[in-house]
Amino acid sequence: MIFEDLPTTPTSEELIDKAFSRASRSGKAKGGLEAQQSMLQVAANIISDNLENVVTAWPDFAYEDDVHPFYYELADAIVDVDRLRQSLSEVMWASRKAREIHEEYQPKLRKTDVDTARKHRKQAFARLADIVEQIDDELIYINKSRNDLRDLPEINPEEPTIVVAGYPNVGKSSFVNDITNARGETASYPFTTRGIGLGHFERDHIRYQIVDTPGLLDRPADERNEIESQAVSAIEHLADCMLVMIDPSAECGYPLGSQLELRDSIASQFEDVPVLTIANKVDRREVWDEGLIDEMAADYSMSVETGADVETVVEAAVEAIDHEPELPFDE
């Protein structure tokens, strides 16, 4: 996952202490003008290099090759990406400024007496410290963003993905667990009430992801807050097929009419991907007695509990995705 290996960002105080302590040790190893020159070079290099490394460790949000739209939207739902990019820009400015200060003062430390050189070096140190202190808020924000993003679930947006939606208790997690190795394979997003269910299965040597998003797609759009709505937008970049599960028996605690309204809302939002309506719990006698399958206009019916037609639903999702793996061309 693109955010998991981001290094810790130092505070301005930590970076200044590191730069000046290393510079002091360098100066003690030398004498005269050479000591002053070495101290300035070491301090400026440490500050400039460390700040540049903070920036280059992050992917470039401006390029889709660096950040897939799924992860861009997801990151923006958790942190303010525009603010993060501005902070990174300010840090890069400080890195360049540190080099400029070194280039400005280093000639002043040559062909002069030691006391004058020491005076110029102290002036340079003060300016270096001031530059780093100016971006303290930016460094803090970058590190907070790193902490917020690094533990996101590892979802591969390049793999064909099935997203399972529907009201709670309709059988989504049981379905995901039944067809994959997803038992216990959950991770938490900061904007969901429960962990994300993530599983995998293979068909014809192709690996598929299947995702259950409790707390996001299990209630109408007008009940989601702004962050949750943006997270759903991220899932639009992820889904290659939507399975909207319905419980015709209404044992889930939600009337069938409400379930169908949620289904329609999801279908309208994910209009660019296949959306299949799946009637679960059809082993319940009351479902057949009331003739609710026809009323729902379900694409497929199944019973996760008995296993009836579960495989049919999986094959339908795979067929709807119609994924063709990229094959290497002969040179």
Side-chain angles (χ1 to χ4, degrees):
M1 205 272 289
I2 61 175
F3 302 119
E4 65 181 349
D5 294 327
L6 291 171
T8 301
T9 303
T11 64
S12 61
E13 182 178 0
E14 290 170 342
L15 183 54
I16 291 169
D17 287 347
K18 177 181 178 180
F20 290 172
S21 62
R22 295 268 186 91
S24 177
R25 290 199 296 271
S26 174
K28 290 178 181 177
K30 297 179 174 61
L33 294 178
E34 187 180 3
Q36 303 304 315
Q37 294 170 11
S38 177
M39 291 174 69
L40 175 57
Q41 181 171 352
V42 168
N45 285 349
I46 287 176
I47 289 173
S48 181
D49 290 348
N50 276 262
L51 292 179
E52 183 176 353
N53 290 340
V54 166
V55 177
T56 57
W58 283 83
D60 191 337
F61 287 95
Y63 294 96
E64 218 173 273
D65 288 344
D66 271 10
V67 183
H68 188 279
F70 166 69
Y71 273 119
Y72 184 101
E73 293 278 357
L74 206 58
D76 202 33
I78 299 170
V79 303
D80 185 339
V81 167
D82 286 341
R83 164 76 195 280
L84 175 59
R85 291 179 64 187
Q86 181 62 34
S87 293
L88 292 169
S89 177
E90 293 292 332
V91 170
M92 184 57 81
W93 165 83
S95 172
R96 297 192 186 102
K97 199 68 179 175
R99 294 198 183 279
E100 290 176 7
I101 291 172
H102 173 255
E103 292 170 0
E104 176 184 347
Y105 276 87
Q106 196 64 273
K108 297 179 181 181
L109 305 185
R110 303 189 189 105
K111 299 180 180 179
T112 187
D113 60 88
V114 174
D115 288 340
T116 302
R118 184 180 296 109
K119 175 183 175 182
H120 287 312
R121 191 264 303 163
K122 287 183 177 180
Q123 289 176 349
F125 270 27
R127 289 182 59 185
L128 287 170
D130 181 62
I131 290 296
V132 177
E133 288 169 355
Q134 285 184 48
I135 58 165
D136 185 53
D137 288 346
E138 316 308 326
L139 294 172
I140 291 172
Y141 188 78
I142 291 169
N143 198 55
K144 179 181 181 303
S145 299
R146 173 254 189 191
N147 292 338
D148 289 342
L149 295 175
R150 68 192 302 267
D151 293 327
L152 284 176
E154 188 169 352
I155 296 176
N156 185 353
E158 302 300 334
E159 287 185 347
T161 302
I162 301 165
V163 176
V164 184
Y167 271 111
N169 305 316
V170 298
K172 300 191 301 295
S173 60
S174 296
F175 174 71
V176 172
N177 288 336
D178 187 67
I179 66 171
T180 73
N181 58 343
R183 290 174 179 80
E185 190 179 351
T186 59
S188 295
Y189 284 121
F191 39 70
T192 57
T193 56
R194 300 184 300 281
I196 295 298
L198 172 64
H200 303 88
F201 65 90
E202 285 193 7
R203 289 294 185 277
D204 298 326
H205 306 292
I206 299 173
R207 190 172 189 253
Y208 292 82
Q209 290 178 136
I210 184 164
V211 179
D212 176 22
T213 57
L216 289 178
L217 294 170
D218 60 1
R219 61 185 187 277
D222 58 6
E223 294 181 16
R224 301 174 194 140
N225 62 36
E226 183 177 351
I227 292 177
E228 291 168 338
S229 296
Q230 191 159 356
V232 172
S233 295
I235 294 170
E236 290 183 44
H237 295 288
L238 179 70
D240 296 298
C241 177
M242 294 288 303
L243 299 182
V244 182
M245 294 186 64
I246 304 293
D247 175 8
S249 72
E251 288 181 355
C252 63
Y254 297 90
L256 179 58
S258 298
Q259 296 183 60
L260 295 178
E261 288 177 3
L262 178 63
R263 184 270 312 271
D264 294 341
S265 173
I266 292 171
S268 65
Q269 184 157 9
F270 288 81
E271 59 183 1
D272 293 331
V273 300
V275 178
L276 304 180
T277 302
I278 311 299
N280 187 30
K281 304 184 183 181
V282 294
D283 54 305
R284 307 293 200 268
R285 179 177 296 276
E286 63 270 21
V287 173
W288 299 108
D289 290 346
E290 296 177 14
L292 294 178
I293 299 297
D294 291 338
E295 180 180 334
M296 290 187 307
D299 296 296
Y300 297 91
S301 59
M302 68 177 183
S303 171
V304 176
E305 185 172 334
T306 67
D309 294 318
V310 169
E311 186 62 25
T312 300
V313 171
V314 175
E315 293 298 333
V318 168
E319 184 177 347
I321 293 175
D322 193 24
H323 178 74
E324 294 186 7
E326 294 184 6
L327 299 176
F329 292 99
D330 294 330
E331 293 184 1

